[in-house]
Amino acid sequence: MISPASSAPITRRWPWPLLLLALCAALAVGLAGWHYFTAENAVLPLQPVTQLTPVPTTVAEVAVGLARLPVQANGYLVTQTYDVAGPFLRPGAALGLVALLGVALAYFLAAVSPLSRLYFVASMALVIFLLMSLNADLLDVFETGRQYVLVLSLVLLVGPAYYFHAFRPETPFTTRLGTFAALVAGLGLLVFLQNPNPADYTALHLSAYFTQAGAVAFALLVLWVAFENVHGLLWVNTQAATPAGRYGLWAFLLAGGLYLTVLLLYYLNQNQLLVLPGIQLDPYLLLLPAVAVAWLGQSRRAATLPAGVPPGAAAILLLVLVLLATGTLGYALATANDPLLQAGRDFTALALLGVGGAFLLYVLLNFGPLLRQKKAVYRVVFQPQRFPFYAMYALGIVAVVGVTMRNNFFVLDQVQAGAYNNLGDLARLESELTPEDMSRALLAERYYAESDVLDQHNHKASLGRAALYRFRLQRQNEINILRRALARRPSPRISLRLAALHNEQQDFFDRLAILQEGLRAHPTNAALNADLAQLYSRSALADSVMHYRARAAAATGSDDAMLAANELAYRIRQQNWAGATALVEGARSTTPDNAALQANTLLLARLTGKSAAAPTPLPDTTQALNDARFARLYHDALGRATRHDTTLLPLLPALAANPANAPFLDQLTLLRAFTHHYGGQPVAAQQALLPLASGSGTGAAYYQQLQGLWLLDQGLPAPAASRFQEARENSPTLPALPLAYALALSGQPDSARQVAGRAPQSAELRLLLAALQPELRETYSLASDSIKTQYLVLRGDELPASALLPAAASVPTGPLQATALLAQLPRALEAGQLEAIRTTLAQAAPAVGAAGASPWNVLRGELYVRGQQWPQLRELVQQGTFSGFDTYQRLYFRAALAEAGKQPAEAGRLYAQLVQQAPFAENGLVAAAAFHARRQEFPAAYDVLLRGVEYNPESVALLKAYVLAAVPVGLMEYAQGPLYRLGTLLSAADYGTFRKEYDAALAARKASWN
């Protein structure tokens, strides 16, 4: 045994070990404080849940004469509510606790090894209890089922401690500390590196089994410092240098009595006490000054230490207890283990009250007269004359034990419940590592259930079981367990999670009741107010929406971006366009990067026909889309497509290839199709839509309808009608007007009238029905100008060839006449009226470089090709305006110029590009086939026409050319179907003429073989 004096060098000659331990203790206190304020957000983080409400929008229009057929797609109105994720495990916090435990263990062994025999044996008993409680052998470091790790730990730690105690008591503290630090570190590395489990699992295992030992360390620290706050009050009252500056007996009684009264009220009020509005008393905060006073007053308290415990060792043991206790508390805070936290609060309050009251009595009995005389009692407070110090401690501890016994030792049940919660977390981690093994999940649920029995409906166990139920999709079980947790104690996060489970339309009143109940307990909670405002937005109670949204905005921790997005969605739903625009202007500067708000802003711009003021950032293809970012991308992509912007074209396939974006795969494919079509690549758009339009049902019907509209936009009414009919078969509720127009343009006015009769009334329908009147051909001159124009667009081919252009010219000059001429000029071109067309173009067509000259330039170019006017065609190609799909006509004209200029290689390249990109351009494909036929490249000519017929199987020009091209390559059997189809499309005379041409080609082939 060494004397107290012999231990003084621990703190004087070698201060750095104590300093290092103090820094570790301060770090532990800091981490506990950090977890005190941040653990809830880490374990149960709030996360926005995005709801996408489809809103029909018109993306573009397909012009059919004077009619405008809308191309519609769903926009998405974005609203957000709160949900609670987790509870998440905290392996990082567990690793921190294990590290602090290792530091404390090394210091403890170094400090107790020179103590007297009795205290050394007691200390070793604590160490052995600790090592046994960790159950490190369950980690399978060595052979399963053997306690080799425990034996090795006892040999490596207890053995050297006994050696230093029995044989080398004079060994310097730093040597002992270094020895035990190396041994503890080596043992830790062995446990972590040799077991087959991940480090996270090992840390959670050790921290879970350390729970009860940590609770013991916490209780010892609390008992050590339980009276120090009263001691601190005594110091404040008597520390002045002169009696005049000291407060005396009554001030001390008042301060001490007030402190103990607050603790008594806390205990009597079921461990709750409102100190200030919104601020509850937390006994943990009272531990901080108690520990500080204990550390500062240890030199005076040295007189109370037993003979076998030197002051230097006591200082180290105090810091070790602080380290272990705050580490235990910090881990309980980090994991939101409320049974442990509540047990700690209850025990702390009870110990501070019991031992603090005993100390107050101790001071009055021993130093009451000195306090009346205003003496510096704090100097001699640990030198009692009447009532011994140990008797004071015994009285306080008896009081604490007596009250705990009266409560049936419920604090022990809470500690055990907290230990079960930690074991449940450990088993839950195992189930996450091996999801196919349901036994681990069942074991975790059993641990949580045991915790629930000991501390009924505690939140940690309830949330753990709820997480297991959520993983197994047992919604009702999750609802039941969360309701029982709220019956124990209100919690905003549990209320939010429970409300999030009631997310169906029929759950409106259940969700309303949950949120209102949560607000009664926490009226200033921002998330609860925001969710209730969003719930009321589904009703007609506009004042309730405004009230709760204002409360949410005024609450601390409010998410202004989410509130702004929800408010904008509400105003859009109410069609309050002015209010929505004003909100966007105000929110742009405060929440520039909020995806939900940007998505709603883009939707507002589309609905109001205005452009978005701020540019939308391009998506990160390496990041998975969530609902809000998807909606922003969706609206931005539609806007870019209608502006013919193909910036997103290389990004969309990369996003679709990300497996995490699988829920949005159809919409991403649709966006790619929109970008292709309005970016001037209609064939690629049709190919992109093909997988979506290949099925049956309402989903496929929409894509089939879209294909039909785009085919109509390319001037292919017959294939469009086929797609429209297929779409109507899959979904009879689709608009019938596009099908009626496609049938009318395909030369089927009777069918068009029949379909139009089932369409709802609209201006476009009335115009169509008027233009489809059977007698309109005879009463044409009496019809209005708009009906005349639409008649020429739809049925102008019924007129004789000599009346084609005069009928269009009879329409008054202006947009109507331009529409009529653009409809009749191609028909006149087919009739061979080249001179009349040339005259009409000279009179009515705008200049070749004008903004709207593109369709006129196509007619000019075709006229120049047929007349072989190559200089004029070259000038047109160089100076003329070609927009939209007409750019492919420019490509055809360039190919024709190259062919005329004796550049076959360039002509072949341009024709191949045209065939690949624009198989709908029948004049270009017929010219390309003729080019190859003139060069005796008959298979190439056949392939060109085959591609054209596959894309536009109703084109008479392509069918004729295909049937004739099949003869030189000997594929006449493949031409029988198209030949039959021509028989249904041509008049008898025209078919007879073509049949003679076909028979002549066959005869020529036979003659060539002979």
Side-chain angles (χ1 to χ4, degrees):
M1 182 177 71
I2 65 175
S3 66
S6 65
S7 67
I10 291 179
T11 58
R12 288 205 304 267
R13 289 178 54 188
W14 302 289
W16 69 263
L18 193 64
L19 178 62
L20 180 60
L21 180 58
L23 290 176
C24 290
L27 175 64
V29 173
L31 290 175
W34 171 260
H35 291 310
Y36 184 87
F37 293 104
T38 64
E40 187 176 40
N41 287 329
V43 178
L44 299 168
L46 288 179
Q47 61 180 15
V49 177
T50 303
Q51 298 87 33
L52 301 181
T53 304
V55 178
T57 63
T58 299
V59 179
E61 292 178 333
V62 175
V64 182
L66 302 181
R68 297 293 182 268
L69 302 180
V71 178
Q72 291 191 314
N74 279 336
Y76 292 100
L77 195 64
V78 181
T79 55
Q80 291 182 315
T81 55
Y82 285 101
D83 194 2
V84 178
F88 291 116
L89 305 178
R90 304 295 302 279
L95 283 169
L97 176 61
V98 172
L100 293 176
L101 174 60
V103 173
L105 187 56
Y107 269 94
F108 182 79
L109 289 169
V112 302
S113 56
L115 297 183
S116 64
R117 183 64 50 85
L118 175 63
Y119 297 110
F120 174 76
V121 171
S123 301
M124 290 303 101
L126 292 176
V127 171
I128 294 171
F129 164 74
L130 170 64
L131 295 176
M132 293 177 62
S133 67
L134 293 178
N135 284 311
D137 287 289
L138 296 179
L139 293 170
D140 298 335
V141 177
F142 299 116
E143 185 179 349
T144 305
R146 302 290 185 177
Q147 294 188 329
Y148 293 149
V149 176
L150 176 61
V151 173
L152 182 62
S153 302
L154 294 176
V155 170
L156 291 178
L157 299 180
V158 178
Y162 179 74
Y163 170 77
F164 285 127
H165 170 76
F167 303 109
R168 299 292 298 273
E170 73 283 356
T171 303
F173 180 78
T174 52
T175 303
R176 285 179 273 134
L177 178 62
T179 301
F180 287 115
L183 291 173
V184 170
L187 190 61
L189 289 175
L190 174 69
V191 171
F192 272 88
L193 299 180
Q194 280 298 111
N195 83 83
N197 304 293
D200 288 351
Y201 177 85
T202 304
L204 283 174
H205 173 95
L206 296 175
S207 59
Y209 284 101
F210 175 67
T211 303
Q212 293 171 324
V216 171
F218 181 83
L220 290 175
L221 176 67
V222 171
L223 291 175
W224 187 314
V225 302
F227 65 89
E228 294 290 0
N229 284 333
V230 181
H231 180 202
L233 293 175
L234 177 65
W235 179 84
V236 170
N237 275 271
T238 62
Q239 52 80 32
T242 62
R246 300 172 189 142
Y247 295 103
L249 175 63
W250 294 109
F252 172 68
L253 280 176
L254 179 62
L258 181 60
Y259 165 75
L260 295 174
T261 301
V262 168
L263 290 173
L264 179 62
L265 290 175
Y266 176 84
Y267 172 75
L268 295 176
N269 197 40
Q270 301 297 317
N271 300 320
Q272 289 182 352
L273 184 63
L274 188 66
V275 180
L276 293 173
I279 300 178
Q280 295 279 347
L281 174 66
D282 193 336
Y284 288 139
L285 300 180
L286 298 178
L287 273 181
L288 292 175
V291 171
V293 173
W295 175 256
L296 295 174
Q298 58 181 326
S299 60
R300 291 188 297 273
R301 190 173 173 178
T304 66
L305 295 176
V309 180
I316 292 176
L317 292 176
L318 174 60
L319 289 178
V320 167
L321 281 180
V322 171
L323 191 64
L324 289 175
T326 52
T328 302
L329 176 61
Y331 185 68
L333 289 167
T335 56
N337 199 338
D338 53 313
L340 274 181
L341 294 174
Q342 194 58 44
R345 288 188 174 95
D346 295 349
F347 183 78
T348 300
L350 187 57
L352 293 179
L353 176 60
V355 181
F359 185 76
L360 179 63
L361 180 62
Y362 163 84
V363 171
L364 293 177
L365 291 177
N366 287 299
F367 309 107
L370 296 179
L371 284 172
R372 287 193 186 93
Q373 300 171 26
K374 296 187 177 180
K375 299 292 185 180
V377 175
Y378 77 95
R379 297 179 183 273
V380 295
V381 70
F382 294 111
Q383 301 173 18
Q385 300 298 321
R386 299 178 181 176
F387 188 46
F389 182 78
Y390 72 86
M392 178 275 296
Y393 245 122
L395 177 62
I397 293 174
V398 167
V400 171
V401 173
V403 175
T404 304
M405 184 182 298
R406 181 183 179 278
N407 293 333
N408 295 320
F409 295 101
F410 180 59
V411 69
L412 299 181
D413 290 341
Q414 289 177 307
V415 171
Q416 187 61 44
Y420 277 130
N421 283 337
N422 287 336
L423 292 173
D425 286 349
L426 180 63
R428 187 153 65 91
L429 177 63
E430 286 186 278
S431 70
E432 293 174 1
L433 295 175
T434 56
E436 68 282 353
D437 185 4
M438 286 300 296
S439 65
R440 312 316 298 172
L442 295 174
L443 179 61
E445 185 178 358
R446 184 60 187 168
Y447 279 132
Y448 290 133
E450 290 294 330
S451 172
D452 208 357
V453 170
L454 293 170
D455 188 11
Q456 198 170 38
H457 308 325
N458 70 81
H459 287 182
K460 172 71 173 176
S462 298
L463 288 167
R465 296 174 74 181
L468 294 170
Y469 294 144
R470 188 185 317 178
F471 180 77
R472 298 203 294 262
L473 302 179
Q474 297 176 355
R475 175 178 177 269
Q476 192 56 51
N477 285 344
E478 185 178 359
I479 289 175
N480 293 340
I481 199 69
L482 292 178
R483 285 190 181 278
R484 288 198 292 268
L486 285 177
R488 165 71 182 271
R489 187 176 71 253
S491 167
R493 309 248 166 171
I494 295 180
S495 295
L496 289 169
R497 176 59 196 156
L498 187 58
L501 289 171
H502 294 79
N503 54 359
E504 301 296 333
Q505 190 69 30
Q506 64 270 20
D507 296 331
F508 180 89
F509 291 104
D510 289 334
R511 186 183 180 101
L512 178 64
I514 293 166
L515 292 173
Q516 287 179 335
E517 183 179 353
L519 276 177
R520 277 194 290 271
H522 304 277
T524 60
N525 185 271
L528 288 172
N529 280 290
D531 268 19
L532 193 54
Q534 184 57 31
L535 182 64
Y536 275 121
S537 70
R538 291 161 49 184
S539 70
L541 303 176
D543 54 342
S544 296
V545 177
M546 296 175 59
H547 172 70
Y548 286 106
R549 197 157 283 158
R551 287 179 56 174
T556 56
S558 63
D559 188 340
D560 295 334
M562 179 184 288
L563 292 175
N566 286 344
E567 177 65 21
L568 180 57
Y570 179 70
R571 295 185 185 185
I572 292 175
R573 188 181 291 116
Q574 299 296 318
Q575 299 186 8
N576 180 5
W577 308 123
T581 303
L583 178 62
V584 169
E585 293 295 329
R588 186 178 299 126
S589 59
T590 58
T591 54
D593 298 325
N594 180 261
L597 181 60
Q598 288 176 344
N600 286 340
T601 301
L602 292 170
L603 178 61
L604 175 66
R606 174 155 300 282
L607 292 174
T608 56
K610 300 177 182 178
S611 59
T616 305
L618 294 177
D620 183 359
T621 56
T622 63
Q623 185 180 22
L625 294 173
N626 58 22
D627 288 341
R629 287 197 295 269
F630 160 72
R632 179 179 64 185
L633 169 66
Y634 182 88
H635 296 148
D636 181 43
L638 290 181
R640 289 178 185 271
T642 55
R643 297 194 302 270
H644 314 296
D645 181 352
T646 58
T647 304
L648 292 175
L649 205 51
L651 305 181
L652 291 171
L655 289 169
N658 188 341
N661 295 330
F664 310 111
L665 184 58
D666 287 357
Q667 289 84 353
L668 291 173
T669 304
L670 175 64
L671 293 178
R672 185 156 56 91
F674 266 106
T675 306
H676 276 304
H677 183 81
Y678 293 104
Q681 303 173 29
V683 178
Q686 293 288 333
Q687 291 174 344
L689 280 184
L690 192 59
L692 303 178
S694 298
S696 59
T698 56
Y702 166 75
Y703 300 114
Q704 292 160 357
Q705 182 90 348
L706 185 58
Q707 280 185 314
L709 285 168
W710 285 348
L711 288 169
L712 201 59
D713 197 22
Q714 298 168 53
L716 305 177
S722 175
R723 298 308 282 164
F724 286 141
Q725 287 172 337
E726 189 175 354
R728 292 275 298 173
E729 290 172 1
N730 289 326
S731 178
T733 60
L734 285 174
L737 194 59
L739 174 58
Y741 270 103
L743 291 171
L745 288 170
S746 302
Q748 304 177 54
D750 294 335
S751 299
R753 276 193 300 271
Q754 184 179 1
V755 171
R758 299 193 295 267
Q761 287 296 320
S762 65
E764 285 78 6
L765 177 65
R766 290 190 291 271
L767 183 62
L768 173 63
L769 291 175
L772 291 178
Q773 292 177 7
E775 66 277 5
L776 187 58
R777 183 175 178 181
E778 287 75 23
T779 61
Y780 174 80
S781 59
L782 302 178
S784 66
D785 294 335
S786 59
I787 294 177
K788 285 181 181 178
T789 302
Q790 199 69 352
Y791 168 78
L792 293 177
V793 170
L794 300 177
R795 300 168 59 192
D797 56 348
E798 296 178 357
L799 299 174
S802 59
L804 291 175
L805 293 180
S810 67
V811 178
T813 304
L816 294 181
Q817 187 186 71
T819 302
L821 285 173
L822 288 173
Q824 292 296 82
L825 282 169
R827 293 164 180 156
L829 192 64
E830 292 299 320
Q833 302 176 14
L834 302 185
E835 191 59 37
I837 294 173
R838 189 174 291 107
T839 302
T840 303
L841 289 175
Q843 295 174 350
V848 294
S854 179
W856 302 93
N857 289 339
V858 172
L859 292 168
R860 285 187 176 108
E862 184 64 25
L863 188 64
Y864 294 150
V865 170
R866 296 196 181 195
Q868 297 186 357
Q869 296 174 279
W870 308 121
Q872 292 88 339
L873 180 62
R874 182 171 290 104
E875 181 181 359
L876 177 67
V877 168
Q878 293 173 352
Q879 301 178 7
T881 298
F882 292 88
S883 59
F885 303 143
D886 293 339
T887 56
Y888 293 109
Q889 293 293 326
R890 186 207 294 264
L891 183 63
Y892 159 51
F893 297 150
R894 288 175 56 201
L897 286 170
E899 183 182 2
K902 308 301 182 183
Q903 301 174 6
E906 178 67 9
R909 184 185 68 81
L910 293 174
Y911 276 131
Q913 184 178 350
L914 178 69
V915 171
Q916 179 63 31
Q917 297 179 1
F920 53 87
E922 63 178 32
N923 56 348
L925 264 66
V926 171
F931 166 75
H932 288 297
R934 284 190 292 271
R935 293 173 56 84
Q936 303 298 307
E937 298 171 350
F938 297 114
Y942 176 82
D943 291 340
V944 167
L945 294 168
L946 177 62
R947 176 162 173 76
V949 169
E950 287 175 344
Y951 194 82
N952 184 10
E954 304 294 327
S955 170
V956 173
L958 290 175
L959 288 171
K960 285 182 177 180
Y962 173 75
V963 170
L964 294 176
V967 175
V969 295
L971 298 176
M972 286 76 72
E973 64 274 13
Y974 291 107
Q976 297 307 307
L979 191 61
Y980 173 79
R981 183 61 181 156
L982 281 171
T984 64
L985 295 174
L986 296 173
S987 65
D990 290 341
Y991 181 72
T993 302
F994 175 74
R995 186 63 192 231
K996 291 178 182 178
E997 184 179 356
Y998 176 66
D999 292 339
L1002 287 176
R1005 175 176 171 76
K1006 289 180 180 180
S1008 65
W1009 280 97
N1010 293 330

